[in-house]
Amino acid sequence: MKIAVYPGSFDPVTNGHLDIIERSSRIFDKVIVSILKNSSKAPMFSVEERLTLLRKVTRNLSNVEVDSFSGLLVNYLKQKEAEVIIKGLRAVSDFEYEFQMALMNNKLNPKIETLFMMTSSKYSYLSSSIVRELASLGGCLKELVPEEIIPDIHNKVRHARGGA
Ligand code: PNS
C-alpha cells in the first residue's frame, strides 16, 4: 500500500491545497493530510478547527485521512508507514525553501521521497495568508477556498473582532 503524507499549516485550507489533495489521492492508495501542531506561527484557526475544516472539504475522498502531528515530519511518516511527502509548488519563489526541506528530510531518512506537484495555474497566486488577509478586510473568498468553509472563515473574522 503506497501511503503519502501532505503536511502543512492549512490555516485555512484553500482551493490550491484541495487541488493537490485531489490529484495526489488519484496517485496514492492513501493520502494523509496532516497539520503541524505547535508551529511558531500565530494561527487564525486552532488545530481542532483546521482538522474540522479539512475533514469537511475532503469528506468525499475515501482514501484521504486528516490528522495532525508534532515533531519531525520524517518520524511521523515512519509512524504512519508512509514513504512519500507531498508538497505543492506555486512559483519559483517556493522552490529554494522546499528544496532545502526535501534534502534535509531525505538526509534524516533516506527512504523518504518528496514529491512536488505544480499547483494548477489558476491557484498560483493563492496562499492561506492571502486568504486570511482578504477575509479580515471583508473581501470575497469565492473560488479561493471551498464554498462550504466560507461561512466558517467569515464567522472567525467576526468573532475575532468581538462580534456576535
Ligand atoms: O504549510 P507550511 O507552513 O509551509 O508547512 C510547513 C511544514 C509543516 C511542512 C514544515 O514546517 C514541517 O515539516 N515541519 C515539521 C518539522 C520538520 O520535520 N522539519 C524538517 C526538518 S528540520
Side-chain angles (χ1 to χ4, degrees):
M1 175 135 141
K2 277 276 169 213
I3 306 174
V5 169
Y6 179 30
S9 306
F10 305 105
D11 185 35
V13 57
T14 68
N15 278 343
H17 295 132
L18 193 55
D19 173 55
I20 301 283
I21 296 170
E22 283 169 351
R23 284 160 57 202
S24 52
S25 76
R26 293 198 285 270
I27 298 173
F28 292 95
D29 298 309
K30 180 155 103 178
V31 174
I32 306 172
V33 184
S34 202
I35 300 168
L36 174 67
K37 292 191 270 196
N38 318 324
S39 160
S40 54
K41 298 179 199 169
M44 179 181 214
F45 290 94
S46 70
V47 172
E48 284 309 315
E49 289 168 332
R50 282 178 271 161
L51 284 168
T52 304
L53 296 182
L54 271 169
R55 288 196 179 111
K56 211 189 238 191
V57 303
T58 59
R59 67 185 180 281
N60 295 327
L61 299 168
S62 58
N63 63 336
V64 173
E65 248 178 58
V66 174
D67 193 22
S68 58
F69 74 102
S70 50
L72 281 179
L73 180 60
V74 290
N75 292 347
Y76 175 73
L77 264 88
K78 194 166 183 192
Q79 180 200 325
K80 293 286 171 185
E81 296 179 354
E83 291 190 341
V84 179
I85 298 168
I86 303 201
K87 297 304 300 267
L89 280 185
R90 286 165 302 195
V92 180
S93 52
D94 282 344
F95 183 77
E96 198 168 331
Y97 172 74
E98 293 297 348
F99 183 53
Q100 192 182 13
M101 290 291 266
L103 292 181
M104 179 52 78
N105 284 327
N106 188 261
K107 183 171 167 46
L108 291 169
N109 183 346
K111 283 193 192 145
I112 304 276
E113 288 291 346
T114 301
L115 181 76
F116 290 104
M117 278 193 157
M118 297 308 298
T119 187
S120 302
S121 56
K122 59 183 174 178
Y123 302 131
S124 59
Y125 61 93
L126 190 53
S127 67
S128 295
S129 58
I130 285 277
V131 166
R132 291 196 300 273
E133 179 159 351
L134 193 63
S136 69
L137 297 171
C140 176
L141 300 177
K142 196 167 158 48
E143 288 168 23
L144 305 184
V145 300
E147 288 278 335
E148 63 264 51
I149 69 163
I150 292 178
D152 298 288
I153 300 174
H154 287 316
N155 282 341
K156 174 59 82 176
V157 169
R158 218 172 294 132
H159 278 104
R161 288 206 186 105

